[in-house]
Amino acid sequence: MNKAESSENKGFFYKWVHREVQVDLSDAQDGSDMRTITKKRPVLLISLGTLGIVVLIASIALLNWGARLNINFPAFGQAIANLFIPNPYRTGDIAGWWAYAWQQFSTSFLQLFYICFLGTAIGSVLSVPIYYLCARNTNRVKWLRTGVRVIFDIIRTLPIFLICFFFSQIFSIGNTINGVLTMAVFTISVKYLMMYQYVETIEMSPFEAIRAAGGRNGQCIMTAIHPYAKPMWISYFIYCLEINIRASVILSYVGFGGYIKILQNNIENNYYDYVGAMLLPLILFVMILQFVSNFLMRRGHK
Amino acid sequence: MKQFLEALKKPFLDIHDYFVGDTRGIKSYADPISAYQARPRRWIMNLIFLATFIGVFIFMSWQIDILSFGDRPINWEYTGRIFRTFFTWDGDFWAYFFGFSEADGGWTGGVLYNILITFAITFIATLIAFFIAIPFGILASHRIFGKWAYISEIFLILIRTIPEILLALFLIRLSGYHVLTAIIALAFHSIGMIGKLYADQIDGVDFGPMEALESSGGNKFQQIRYGLLPQVMPNFISVGLYRLDINIRTGTMLGLIIQQDAGIGWNVLLHFSYGKYQQLGADTLGIILLIVLVDLFSSFLRKVVTK
Amino acid sequence: MIELKHVDKVYSNGFKALSDVNLKIEDGEFVSIIGLSGAGKSTLVRCINRLNDVQAGEIIIDGVDIATLKGKALRVQRRNIGMIFQSFNLVKRSNVITNVLAGRVGYHSTFETIFGIYSKEEKLLALQSLDKFGILDKAYVRANHLSGGQQQRVALARALTQEPHLILADEPVASLDPATTIAVMNDFTRINRMGITIIANMHHVDLAKKYSSRIIGIKAGQIVFDGRPDEVTDEVTMKIYGRALNKNETLGNIDDIEPVTEDAHE
């Protein structure tokens, strides 16, 4: 009761937060044992909710909802259905559909996969020294750590489209090396962050033992930290490969030919049977990679 | 039968012992010399791995003809000029950045306006996904629903496999070149990602309150509503904020497909296509600004929420 | 010979762990350090190989002042000092022989460590050290598959592979069960007989009395007792601990415990 009395001279906000309610504590719930207790409102949740609503209203007000809205459920339904229905003028029959799927898979899709794989491999290998430079427990030189982090934090903000633009200005548009280097930079920017955060959680006691045996910093990392980081590196490799394949879709807009460009043209021309045949390997590959990376991560955490 | 299986396994175990060592610790050595002779030849295995990797690397590089960029010599002078234009932060640059130009007669809708639109689209999409993913995430929790969770889990994986950009291209048939298309594409993909993270969060919490409600006769819905949601809500909000952080990167690119009124992406594509590299530099600055701000804001709020 | 002169250690939070410690340890001694937790036992041991920096004073090992060394010279000194930890500090994801060979890093360049290049003599030395502690059969097993006592023996083998003149031990048996404790302590005695000086922090006073040749009592960062084990009477422990010994500070009937040399594989 003392608390309630002392709240008399507190401000409005305090009273609103600490509200007093009457509760019945008797077993029979007949009002024989009424008490006054102070309940605290969930201020954080309420303020976050208010913020969310305000931003939502502002967002809705900002967007241009009037122009070019063209809702067409039948056309969309038809498009989805056509993914699996061979068109007599293009794929012919189901055998033709499969033949097209195989043809696209064995040429253009594999090429895209190779680009993504090479980029992921290069980026993953290059990210190793970077994340050891960024982690607090493996690099004690503060200015070096902060400097490397800031550089890669800035690279991390660049969309993949712009990274590819930079490379295409060096090695003229349309070369595969643009894609490989873009994927490498993108992989570094994704992986260094996840890896250094993981490295910071690795226990330091073996590291200390190697240091006591007269090891250099690099030797301590290689013998005491790297065996723990390696399984995570491998599972993040698969994870990065998967997100790279999905992210590579955007490269067709930077003058990048091949699978994605053909797919984009097919969608724009409404050749949905072609689209379905081309999506099949993409979805299968991404799904397999997701299962593998889920499995590896679960095993790695054990 | 058992002996037969043992005999079948033996060559494989021998190979394993030769390359990896007696990891089961069942062999015994008379003296250090014999232990030394039984040492694993890991370097052979590592060499095979390395050779395979390099072989795959060279094969793939050859397949995609990676050296074709050497056909035309690199014109560093041209490249340097492009990058100089990109980083020329003069009056025109800032006029475009803020969207006010004396020459064009006032408001032209510059970078700031467009990154705000990108943020608005991303925010709405993430908010929608935040709520829709809650039931899917709960249904995908193995600790609550056991084997049945696989249905929702596989559904969420299927959703995740389709890239947002392709989805947006598809959805143009549904709602045209309109912001709604961008929002649906982004939200749809986010449901898959957020749902999975929700399920992970649920599997990591204390199930005591839920079991207490179960023992006092609450049904599954009541258990989840009163025993689980209050507990995991901070984690859910944290996941949502994290996803906002990631979506903003994709959100900048959705303008490429939806074209006008859908944020900075369309400007990026236009300036890239028409070689207006100074404006492209302004767009890039805007994107970096937006992503850094959202990143800081989201990590700050995440710290507050999970404290 | 190890000589500590006026050693002071102040932690960054202002806590004064050691103040004016003077100590002289001859070669071949088995020194136990006893005292309350927080008295500075651990700090003293970790200062000797500079895992902790000291603020003032000299730590002279075989004529070299280690307190002011840096870089390569410090690493050379460190590789001559083996160290045993309470929680073994093995790389649990690597196999036993890799862990033992890690004691040789001080003799190699970083490049050689990255590719795991060790000479045949070093590998044999590592296997011999394992053989001395009776765990040669486990040489190619992953370290996390071993029991606590076996892990501590791997750590001992690692320290021995350094070919040290001195072994420091920071509560080496505090996380082991009594039977394994006795076995590991016997291993320590064996190492001591090879002519290696041992400085160990001990939690159990009776264990220290039985196994060591000299006991140092430390209280609030200062040496309050220095003498032979038979001089440690109840009065002395009263002085060191400020109270009578707790039950957990003695192992109890040491002589009755049968040492377990080969504990069960988990």
Side-chain angles (χ1 to χ4, degrees):
Chain A
M1 293 305 280
N2 270 340
K3 207 170 177 182
E5 277 162 21
S6 68
S7 75
E8 289 294 314
N9 46 17
K10 290 269 170 49
F12 168 76
F13 183 70
Y14 184 91
K15 277 192 220 160
W16 181 80
V17 172
H18 302 264
R19 101 194 123 115
E20 285 158 25
V21 284
Q22 298 269 322
V23 287
D24 185 6
L25 289 180
S26 60
D27 288 340
Q29 295 287 317
D30 54 1
S32 58
D33 186 14
M34 296 299 283
R35 304 263 181 90
T36 309
I37 59 165
T38 313
K39 259 190 160 179
K40 218 176 153 202
R41 287 180 203 261
V43 184
L44 186 68
L45 216 62
I46 291 171
S47 44
L48 267 182
T50 319
L51 184 74
I53 290 167
V54 169
V55 177
L56 180 66
I57 291 170
S59 303
I60 292 172
L62 187 70
L63 293 179
N64 182 359
W65 296 92
R68 296 179 293 148
L69 180 61
N70 178 21
I71 288 189
N72 193 342
F73 278 105
F76 185 64
Q78 191 63 47
I80 297 292
N82 282 348
L83 287 177
F84 309 102
I85 303 172
N87 185 300
Y89 301 105
R90 288 191 297 272
T91 43
D93 52 3
I94 199 77
W97 191 88
W98 280 108
Y100 185 80
W102 173 250
Q103 184 212 334
Q104 287 302 334
F105 170 76
S106 59
T107 56
S108 57
F109 180 77
L110 275 186
Q111 190 170 30
L112 181 80
F113 178 75
Y114 292 159
I115 290 170
C116 292
F117 187 89
L118 288 174
T120 315
I122 294 172
S124 293
V125 171
L126 291 182
S127 74
V128 175
I130 296 164
Y131 64 72
Y132 284 131
L133 279 175
C134 287
R136 202 183 309 115
N137 51 359
T138 53
N139 179 10
R140 295 178 190 267
V141 187
K142 197 176 175 198
W143 62 265
L144 186 62
R145 195 169 69 217
T146 320
V148 176
R149 278 190 196 182
V150 166
I151 291 170
F152 284 95
D153 277 344
I154 291 172
I155 293 178
R156 207 161 63 86
T157 60
L158 289 177
I160 201 161
F161 180 92
L162 283 166
I163 302 173
C164 194
F165 159 75
F166 292 139
F167 283 119
S168 64
Q169 294 310 314
I170 299 172
F171 310 102
S172 65
I173 288 176
N175 278 320
T176 43
I177 196 164
N178 296 337
V180 173
L181 291 178
T182 306
M183 286 305 166
V185 172
F186 186 63
T187 306
I188 292 175
S189 71
V190 171
K191 204 160 178 174
Y192 93 98
L193 181 76
M194 297 193 298
M195 279 308 293
Y196 95 67
Q197 285 174 344
Y198 179 72
V199 166
E200 284 185 352
T201 65
I202 293 173
E203 56 165 346
M204 289 296 283
S205 49
F207 185 95
E208 197 175 38
I210 310 296
R211 201 153 69 92
R216 280 163 230 261
N217 214 22
Q219 289 175 315
C220 296
I221 292 170
M222 279 319 291
T223 36
I225 301 283
H226 197 63
Y228 294 94
K230 209 161 74 176
M232 217 51 188
W233 186 89
I234 292 170
S235 50
Y236 281 147
F237 181 93
I238 306 284
Y239 176 73
C240 280
L241 185 58
E242 178 223 320
I243 57 174
N244 280 357
I245 290 179
R246 276 196 280 115
S248 67
V249 173
I250 204 73
L251 291 186
S252 66
Y253 289 91
V254 210
F256 220 77
Y259 178 82
I260 296 297
K261 192 73 194 170
I262 301 170
L263 185 59
Q264 192 195 340
N265 285 344
N266 282 337
I267 293 177
E268 279 167 3
N269 294 335
N270 295 345
Y271 296 168
Y272 283 104
D273 47 342
Y274 279 175
V275 174
M278 290 186 79
L279 279 180
L280 195 70
L282 181 79
I283 290 178
L284 269 180
F285 257 69
V286 173
M287 248 172 93
I288 290 169
L289 289 175
Q290 278 193 358
F291 275 119
V292 172
S293 83
N294 275 6
F295 171 76
L296 283 177
M297 284 206 194
R298 242 175 245 161
R299 208 188 58 169
H301 281 306
K302 264 177 197 165
Chain B
M1 186 64 194
K2 204 176 173 188
Q3 277 173 334
F4 174 71
L5 279 177
E6 292 285 310
L8 210 62
K9 263 191 204 164
K10 195 167 178 307
F12 291 104
L13 287 177
D14 284 348
I15 292 171
H16 176 270
D17 285 0
Y18 186 76
F19 287 117
V20 188
D22 175 29
T23 51
R24 291 153 295 154
I26 50 169
K27 286 186 185 164
S28 64
Y29 313 107
D31 53 1
I33 307 279
S34 62
Y36 178 74
Q37 278 152 0
R39 74 195 183 280
R41 270 70 170 176
R42 284 205 180 192
W43 64 272
I44 299 180
M45 204 173 64
N46 291 344
L47 212 65
I48 292 171
F49 271 135
L50 197 70
T52 316
F53 191 77
I54 291 174
V56 166
F57 204 89
I58 292 172
F59 170 77
M60 286 183 174
S61 310
W62 169 64
Q63 283 283 308
I64 62 170
D65 201 8
I66 199 167
L67 293 175
S68 65
F69 72 89
D71 296 350
R72 249 173 62 190
I74 299 171
N75 187 346
W76 288 110
E77 199 269 325
Y78 166 80
T79 309
R81 201 168 63 235
I82 298 294
F83 281 105
R84 269 198 299 282
T85 325
F86 197 81
F87 288 107
T88 310
W89 293 9
D90 57 8
D92 290 349
F93 179 92
W94 294 114
Y96 169 63
F97 188 81
F98 292 108
F100 280 103
S101 162
E102 297 271 321
D104 296 346
W107 171 253
T108 54
V111 174
L112 279 187
Y113 174 69
N114 277 304
I115 63 170
L116 277 179
I117 286 186
T118 296
F119 176 77
I121 289 174
T122 316
F123 183 80
I124 296 172
T126 314
L127 204 65
I128 292 171
F130 175 82
F131 287 111
I132 296 181
I134 289 177
F136 288 112
I138 292 170
L139 283 172
S141 159
H142 281 265
R143 274 179 69 184
I144 301 179
F145 290 100
K147 272 187 195 132
W148 294 102
Y150 277 114
I151 298 172
S152 182
E153 199 182 348
I154 287 172
F155 175 72
L156 290 174
I157 287 183
L158 269 177
I159 285 182
R160 289 206 296 272
T161 49
I162 305 168
E164 296 98 325
I165 305 288
L166 278 185
L167 200 62
L169 276 173
F170 252 96
L171 285 168
I172 286 169
R173 296 281 162 261
L174 178 69
S175 47
Y177 293 90
H178 189 259
V179 279
L180 197 62
T181 312
I183 291 172
I184 297 171
L186 209 49
F188 191 75
H189 188 84
S190 301
I191 289 170
M193 284 298 194
I194 297 183
K196 179 196 176 253
L197 292 174
Y198 281 176
D200 289 350
Q201 297 289 341
I202 292 170
D203 284 345
V205 308
D206 170 29
F207 270 46
M210 265 185 89
E211 278 154 14
L213 279 166
E214 190 178 9
S215 62
S216 59
N219 62 26
K220 206 112 203 175
F221 178 78
Q222 286 167 330
Q223 286 170 36
I224 290 168
R225 168 67 186 83
Y226 298 102
L228 185 71
L229 277 188
Q231 220 188 136
V232 292
M233 216 50 198
N235 301 18
F236 279 12
I237 293 173
S238 165
V239 166
L241 287 165
Y242 170 73
R243 194 63 212 170
L244 180 72
D245 198 7
I246 300 199
N247 275 355
I248 204 89
R249 288 151 212 268
T250 323
T252 53
M253 288 297 103
L254 275 174
L256 293 179
I257 291 126
I258 313 300
Q259 303 176 359
Q260 282 148 52
D261 305 328
I264 194 85
W266 181 233
N267 296 29
V268 169
L269 185 60
L270 283 184
H271 296 142
F272 166 72
S273 311
Y274 295 116
K276 291 185 170 175
Y277 296 123
Q278 192 183 18
Q279 278 89 333
L280 191 63
D283 293 331
T284 310
L285 184 68
I287 289 171
I288 292 175
L289 204 68
L290 173 70
I291 290 174
V292 167
L293 282 179
V294 172
D295 201 351
L296 289 177
F297 186 66
S298 120
S299 58
F300 165 73
L301 275 187
R302 264 184 286 163
K303 257 181 214 154
V304 170
V305 169
T306 51
K307 194 174 60 185
Chain C
M1 195 179 77
I2 300 150
E3 207 173 348
L4 275 71
K5 289 180 187 163
H6 312 292
V7 171
D8 280 353
K9 165 75 190 168
V10 184
Y11 280 107
S12 54
N13 59 6
F15 177 70
K16 193 158 193 193
L18 296 177
S19 54
D20 195 28
V21 171
N22 291 292
L23 202 60
K24 204 170 182 180
I25 296 169
E26 300 294 331
D27 285 346
E29 278 192 284
F30 189 146
V31 181
S32 288
I33 303 170
I34 56 172
L36 282 169
S37 50
K41 287 182 298 181
S42 244
T43 313
L44 179 59
V45 165
R46 292 164 64 91
C47 280
I48 293 177
N49 68 352
R50 279 281 302 283
L51 278 186
N52 286 351
D53 282 329
V54 293
Q55 268 66 39
E58 293 172 16
I59 301 168
I60 299 163
I61 301 174
D62 299 329
V64 182
D65 182 10
I66 200 172
T68 54
L69 289 183
K70 266 188 192 146
K72 185 156 173 62
L74 175 62
R75 288 198 300 272
V76 167
Q77 284 300 317
R78 273 182 181 160
R79 83 179 182 203
N80 293 331
I81 305 173
M83 184 135 185
I84 308 292
F85 298 86
Q86 180 185 345
S87 49
F88 326 130
N89 291 14
L90 299 181
V91 184
K92 297 221 174 60
R93 289 195 75 98
S94 298
N95 61 10
V96 167
I97 189 74
T98 314
N99 269 293
V100 176
L101 280 170
R104 299 297 294 183
V105 288
Y107 297 86
H108 286 276
S109 68
T110 312
F111 177 82
E112 285 168 329
T113 313
I114 289 174
F115 294 100
I117 298 168
Y118 296 101
S119 68
K120 188 187 170 184
E121 287 72 30
E122 286 178 316
K123 284 178 189 166
L124 273 174
L125 178 69
L127 289 165
Q128 276 159 8
S129 339
L130 282 173
D131 198 21
K132 277 179 192 130
F133 303 111
I135 42 169
L136 183 63
D137 296 350
K138 306 284 181 202
Y140 304 115
V141 181
R142 246 168 71 156
N144 61 344
H145 290 174
L146 300 182
S147 67
Q150 286 171 332
Q151 289 194 27
Q152 192 59 297
R153 270 180 225 130
V154 174
L156 272 168
R158 176 171 68 189
L160 212 57
T161 314
Q162 286 173 239
E163 298 180 308
H165 312 312
L166 163 68
I167 285 184
L168 305 171
D170 191 359
E171 307 238 357
V173 290
S175 50
L176 300 177
D177 60 82
T180 324
T181 296
I182 299 298
V184 169
M185 286 313 293
N186 286 339
D187 289 334
F188 268 103
T189 318
R190 217 135 43 84
I191 294 171
N192 186 226
R193 284 206 203 104
M194 292 175 204
I196 297 171
T197 318
I198 291 176
I199 302 176
N201 273 336
M202 292 304 240
H203 186 68
H204 304 297
V205 175
D206 50 350
L207 217 55
K209 277 166 79 172
K210 181 170 178 210
Y211 284 94
S212 49
S213 62
R214 178 175 165 190
I215 286 182
I216 289 167
I218 192 163
K219 186 184 182 184
Q222 280 172 324
I223 291 177
V224 292
F225 172 80
D226 188 349
R228 290 196 311 279
D230 52 4
E231 291 169 2
V232 181
T233 55
D234 287 350
E235 279 168 49
V236 172
T237 55
M238 198 70 187
K239 197 167 103 191
I240 296 169
Y241 287 85
R243 55 172 165 74
L245 285 181
N246 275 340
K247 202 175 175 190
N248 68 355
E249 278 155 2
T250 54
L251 198 61
N253 55 340
I254 294 175
D255 299 325
D256 300 343
I257 297 171
E258 194 70 23
V260 178
T261 46
E262 191 57 50
D263 29 9
H265 187 72
E266 280 166 10

